Amino acid sequence: MFDNASFPRTTMSRHELYAWAGLAFALAIAGYYILAVIGLPDGAESVSDRLGSIFVRVIVIAVAVELVLDASQSIMRFRVDKDERDRMIEGRSFRNAYYILAVVVFAAIGQLVVTGLLGEYINNEFVVSLPVVTLHILVLGVLAASAINSVTRIYYYRRGS
């Protein structure tokens, strides 16, 4: 009576679920990191406690889901083997994450080189803060690469190829 083509897919594979958990984890860590470094604007103190608890909950839930998925992979009955499609998706996602990470690392290196060359002409307070800025760039770059890895996996698993 009904064919499967007329209904959208409602279940997710374990690989796709793992990608969603990784994306939630990366975004929650990045959001919490940005709030911790930059802070909230004036007048938003009442929201800060709620946002902190939301980020902590998302991080805990994402870690729990990743632990459950990893634990279920070790049990033979629940193991999901990777086929050629899974390996292709994994390769594409790592490639995209590598591109983002390479851009971020080269930008940080470029910033350090320019600072070294022009350091004597720049304000000393600015030069002292540059290693901290470089650290923030690298941390957020790693989180962005992780998020791109997960988004790429989600895209290809949703697309079906």
Side-chain angles (χ1 to χ4, degrees):
M1 179 170 191
F2 295 107
D3 60 342
N4 288 337
S6 63
F7 293 105
R9 185 176 60 126
T10 58
T11 59
M12 287 189 276
S13 69
R14 287 184 196 262
H15 298 295
E16 187 179 352
L17 184 61
Y18 191 73
W20 278 108
L23 178 62
F25 186 69
L27 291 177
I29 293 291
Y32 188 75
Y33 185 80
I34 289 170
L35 283 178
V37 170
I38 297 174
L40 290 173
D42 294 335
E45 289 82 18
S46 63
V47 179
S48 66
D49 292 335
R50 286 184 283 168
L51 282 177
S53 67
I54 288 171
F55 281 122
V56 168
R57 286 182 192 153
V58 169
I59 290 168
V60 168
I61 290 170
V63 168
V65 168
E66 287 189 31
L67 286 175
V68 167
L69 288 172
D70 284 341
S72 68
Q73 282 291 336
S74 65
I75 300 172
M76 289 302 286
R77 195 172 111 196
F78 297 112
R79 177 168 283 175
V80 178
D81 293 326
K82 292 181 183 178
D83 59 5
E84 293 170 2
R85 177 178 169 259
D86 293 324
R87 294 190 194 285
M88 181 195 64
I89 291 171
E90 186 177 83
R92 288 179 179 174
S93 66
F94 282 128
R95 179 200 61 199
N96 292 345
Y98 172 77
Y99 288 157
I100 296 296
L101 195 57
V103 167
V104 168
V105 167
F106 283 121
I109 291 170
Q111 179 219 2
L112 291 174
V113 168
V114 168
T115 303
L117 293 175
L118 302 176
E120 61 191 50
Y121 303 110
I122 301 175
N123 185 359
N124 284 339
E125 292 177 15
F126 182 70
V127 172
V128 170
S129 69
L130 282 177
V132 175
V133 171
T134 305
L135 173 70
H136 295 320
I137 289 171
L138 291 173
V139 168
L140 290 174
V142 167
L143 292 171
S146 176
I148 290 296
N149 185 353
S150 296
V151 166
T152 303
R153 288 177 190 222
I154 291 166
Y155 171 76
Y156 283 111
Y157 278 118
R158 284 283 161 189
R159 190 174 123 191
S161 63

